[in-house]
Amino acid sequence: MSTAVILLAAGQGSRMNSDLPKVLHRLAGAPLIAHALASARAVEPERIVVVTGTGADQVDPALRALDPDLRIVHQTEQRGTGHAVAQAVPELAGFEGDVIILYGDTPFIQPETLRAMLKARRDGAAVVVLGFDSPAPGGYGRLITDGAGRLLAIVEAQDATPAQRAITLCNCGVIATEAALLSDLLAEVGTSNAKNEYYLTDIVAIANARGLRAKAIACDPSETMGVNSRVDLAAAEAAFQARARRAALDNGATLTDPGSVWFALDTYIGRDVLIGPNVVFGPGVTVESGAEIIGFCHFEDCHISRGARVGPFARLRPGAELAEDVHIGNFVEVKNAIIDEGAKINHLAYVGDAHVGAKTNIGAGAIVCNYDGVFKHRTEIGARAFIGSNVALVAPLAIGDEALIAAGSVVTEDVPAGALAVGRASQTNKPGLATKLMARLRARKTEKVPG
Ligand code: UD1
Ligand code: MG
């Protein structure tokens, strides 16, 4: 049976105290909503409908950038979770199967949990609700069960009796049901409650009244953590990082100081990768097995191949691609550049918008001048070339295989393969002149009349 996902993201997020819509705040290098989307994708849904509202002018383009196939609908007035889901229902036209409702501000629901909910659905429950047990259930909706595995109703905290408020089994918000049934049940939801809102949660009692079976599945409270404030966001970041560090270790990476390594939602680390202290993985980084990150590095949208050695203090920016056995050393920045097998850029260099051939060596202080103030230009460097220290390569430029660039050169013209390029003022030595000059200067100092 196929699955669809409805993702709710129309809410205000006023407690973030921000001009940025809540679901666009960053968690592990990705917008908050990307986390729920990743969980959604893991169950391979036939379609995903996102309900946006507050800040839709910013949220919609961000969603399209994450996935152009998303169906986006608007909820112009926030009249409750039931109303929000109802806006998505027309987008389910022609779809037959199960629907899972997720929240954009609840990032940690695990795919296995969603699969367990779908299984319970397919085993006969008309509505399946994800719950968690909380010693301090506060404002969460309470799950009312019959003690024999049946979920009878969800009561919002504000509408609950004191006895119901004492229940510790809470609604985390995630619900699985069947598409046609969802539309049917929603049609019966009204607004006679404390908030005068359409509560999605009412579909449980409505299903029961029709003689249908509803069921609660409990998950670990760490999965149901929601983000409503910056304090929550910081706590979510800490929770994400703790899990990611643990996963990296379990998958066979060595982290000498796990607590100082920061991962992004999509970081990929292979087996037997060594990661030293203070390394930040921004979005889009993949590291192949056996690479070594020495420490104090910052990476973003880049790829590090097997056997490469990077750092300490290296920065790989978007589009940096290191082939096998490349060495990138201290205070080296690489941007939008392919560095072929075995090439070495070991000290104090900038390489941008370039291609560096295999086994080429780029010396200390060498810089690719890729930007003329308006346009970016490319630099092609061949294999086994040697770029001396403190060379400025003024792009656009092509340097052939096995070319040698003398230290201190400013290179503005292409260099053929095998050529030596010297582009600097030539040196002349004046015998004895230094000694003479210094003597004259010292003499002037003693003669100097004060005032
Ligand atoms: C909801 C549940 C409650 C549950 C809690 C878990 C209902 C009636 N209550 O309460 O049982 O314990 O979540 O966090 O469902 N949203 C919209 N449009 C709206 C209203 C909400 O898109 O009109 C979205 C919000 O952006 C958010 C989610 O739905 O992502 C939940 O909304 P929120 O207002 O936080 O619901 P709660 O009152 O917390
Ligand atoms: Mg809430």
Side-chain angles (χ1 to χ4, degrees), residues 15 22 103 105-106 139-140 195 226-228:
R15 277 186 284 156
K22 174 162 79 177
Y103 292 177
D105 61 0
T106 307
Y140 286 109
K195 287 171 132 184
V227 174
N228 291 303

Side-chain angles (χ1 to χ4, degrees), residues 7-13 15 22-23 51-54 75 77-85 101-106 132 137 139-143 154-159 170-175 193 195 197-202 224 226-228:
L7 189 49
L8 300 189
Q12 275 256 308
R15 277 186 284 156
K22 174 162 79 177
V23 292
V51 183
T52 65
T54 314
Q75 185 196 28
E77 260 183 292
Q78 274 68 67
R79 297 168 67 191
T81 49
H83 182 255
V85 173
I101 297 153
L102 295 175
Y103 292 177
D105 61 0
T106 307
F132 65 104
Y140 286 109
R142 308 296 203 273
L143 302 188
I154 305 177
V155 180
E156 289 306 292
Q158 279 149 301
D159 302 293
C170 299
N171 172 32
C172 89
V174 179
I175 292 183
N193 52 53
K195 287 171 132 184
E197 282 186 353
Y198 293 94
Y199 289 169
L200 171 65
T201 45
D202 282 355
T224 66
V227 174
N228 291 303

